[in-house]
Amino acid sequence: MTHPVQVELEAVDGAARATVAHTARGSYRTPCFMPVGTRGTVKHLSATDLDQLGVQIVLGNTYHLMLRPGAATVAELGGLGRFSGWSGLTLTDSGGFQVFSLEPSVDDDGVTFRSTYDGSTHRLTPESAVATQELLGADIQMVLDVCPPLPSPEATIRLAVERTSAWAKRARAAHGREDQALFGIVQGGTDLALRTESGLRTVELEFDGYGIGGLSVGETRGEMLPALEAALAVLPADRPRYLMGVGDAASLVEAVALGVDQFDCVMQTRLGRHGVALTTSGRLQVKNAVHRSSDEPVDAACECTVCARHSRGYLRHLFQVGEPTASRLLSLHNLAWTLQLMDSMRAAIVAGRFDDLRREVLTVWG
């Protein structure tokens, strides 16, 4: 059995860890934030932008790519990286999160759902999710899991754990590409015992890495963190640990403190499109009239090209006149700001001062 992703521990500070994770096609440093390229691109940005930002891994969305342009088309055009002109690493989710948001028909074998594009009916099983992602060709693929909203009845969470576990076993058996890592996913809602159980059952299958799913879906951070800690406690130290769909600064720093390695979120670009900038002082609404004549950068402490070149007054003007460049520039800034935060966390772990940084971040974002 191959394990394409090996974790090399560089430093630890409490449970927080700075690592280098080695995949079949390249390595990435953690803590790591992965921008979401839903349909084969991070919205408003190009592969060149991502290179210049220092992005290491980009996510592709299996649900959207299997419907448009189709996984076979992506394969014909060289796989997700070549298709999108991106030479860094790629990760595809299973599509399950999007499918479950559509209220599909779910049974023990898989899920049946309607396309958001044309209403056509499609079927996704653990095996077809693997096969689809093998065609997409990402460096890391995720198993199909059941992701219930929170809060949900205890019986719903239990069924999600049972099906996720059974589907993980089937995905492991179906996976054939040795150059592509397969990550299992831990479910269990905010029930600590179920998180532990799901974690242990997933680890038994010996995946190449582990996602923690079903969090940041309606619960508070105070409910999320104990559940996350319970899952992490049973995950092996020599595999990557990936908290799925989480990207706000407070949750990032709290999760790294517990031992999470990598994250993804659409928040950075979504906020950017709505005029909201992430800064060392908190969220900033650039469209507010107070910035009309401001010559200040979005964040004087940020090292990105947007803060180096453009004022708040200019960015507000672009939003006021409906210029798409506004969304692009704030998306660039928000990603750069988040990547700088990850770099700061890594440096703090290496220096043995992670708790100081954690307190600084939580003072603003907590």
Side-chain angles (χ1 to χ4, degrees):
M1 186 181 295
T2 60
H3 286 296
V5 184
Q6 297 285 354
V7 167
E8 179 187 341
L9 269 177
E10 291 203 331
V12 293
D13 188 0
R17 30 193 253 164
T19 83
V20 179
H22 303 283
T23 78
R25 204 176 59 82
S27 303
Y28 60 97
R29 300 175 311 283
T30 77
C32 172
F33 180 80
M34 306 179 290
V36 180
T38 302
R39 296 174 172 87
T41 184
V42 178
K43 199 163 282 194
H44 289 306
L45 306 186
S46 69
T48 302
D49 292 325
L50 301 178
D51 278 334
Q52 291 172 348
L53 285 168
V55 169
Q56 301 181 91
I57 311 179
V58 177
L59 254 72
N61 184 272
T62 297
Y63 166 78
H64 286 287
L65 291 169
M66 70 183 272
L67 296 174
R68 296 281 191 281
T73 300
V74 175
E76 285 169 29
L77 292 169
L80 183 57
R82 184 147 181 257
F83 175 61
S84 61
W86 168 245
S87 58
L89 297 171
T90 51
L91 182 151
T92 43
D93 59 21
S94 67
F97 183 81
Q98 286 72 30
V99 166
F100 281 95
S101 71
L102 300 172
E103 299 183 352
S105 170
V106 189
D107 54 61
D108 287 342
D109 185 56
V111 291
T112 303
F113 61 96
R114 290 191 177 278
S115 165
T116 191
Y117 295 102
D118 60 12
S120 57
T121 301
H122 298 266
R123 178 80 173 158
L124 204 55
T125 67
E127 293 82 5
S128 70
V130 166
T132 300
Q133 291 180 85
E134 287 186 347
L135 284 171
L136 293 173
D139 299 288
I140 299 169
Q141 67 153 285
M142 307 300 298
V143 300
L144 182 65
D145 64 324
V146 179
C147 182
L150 294 178
S152 282
E154 185 179 342
T156 301
I157 303 293
R158 161 56 70 185
L159 183 58
V161 167
E162 293 296 337
R163 280 181 170 155
T164 294
S165 181
W167 290 3
K169 188 173 184 179
R170 288 165 54 188
R172 197 80 182 96
H175 183 244
R177 280 189 66 159
E178 293 194 356
D179 64 336
Q180 184 184 57
L182 179 66
F183 281 21
I185 299 177
V186 179
Q187 286 289 345
T190 54
D191 186 303
L192 306 191
L194 278 179
R195 280 287 169 184
T196 301
E197 178 189 332
S198 180
L200 289 169
R201 291 171 71 172
T202 309
V203 169
E204 276 178 14
L205 297 170
E206 295 189 36
F207 285 100
D208 306 319
Y210 296 91
I212 300 107
L215 292 174
S216 195
V217 290
E219 80 286 5
T220 65
R221 193 180 314 125
E223 292 169 323
M224 176 182 86
L225 293 174
L228 175 60
E229 190 169 20
L232 289 167
V234 298
L235 298 183
D238 64 345
R239 297 283 177 267
R241 302 149 172 184
Y242 162 28
L243 178 55
M244 304 175 73
V246 172
D248 66 283
S251 295
L252 290 174
V253 75
E254 291 280 43
V256 168
L258 294 177
V260 174
D261 301 310
Q262 60 198 82
F263 305 84
D264 78 282
C265 198
V266 297
M267 183 190 87
Q268 281 66 15
T269 50
R270 181 176 288 160
L271 288 177
R273 294 194 300 278
H274 290 91
V276 178
L278 305 175
T279 80
T280 44
S281 303
R283 291 189 183 192
L284 178 81
Q285 176 48 266
V286 171
K287 292 190 282 188
N288 286 349
V290 69
H291 302 303
R292 181 199 307 272
S293 302
S294 174
D295 198 37
E296 287 181 76
V298 169
D299 186 351
C302 178
E303 298 170 3
C304 80
T305 56
V306 179
C307 289
R309 300 186 75 148
H310 302 301
S311 68
R312 296 180 184 184
Y314 174 66
L315 293 168
R316 178 180 184 272
H317 156 69
L318 295 182
F319 277 109
Q320 290 300 107
V321 297
E323 171 53 59
T325 305
S327 295
R328 170 176 158 72
L329 291 176
L330 269 200
S331 295
L332 278 168
H333 162 77
N334 284 345
L335 280 177
W337 188 89
T338 302
L339 294 167
Q340 288 170 43
L341 175 62
M342 306 313 286
D343 288 344
S344 297
M345 286 198 267
R346 181 180 173 82
I349 293 166
V350 171
R353 57 169 301 273
F354 183 78
D355 207 47
D356 292 338
L357 176 67
R358 176 176 164 270
R359 279 196 296 270
E360 289 168 21
V361 171
L362 292 177
T363 298
V364 176
W365 291 93

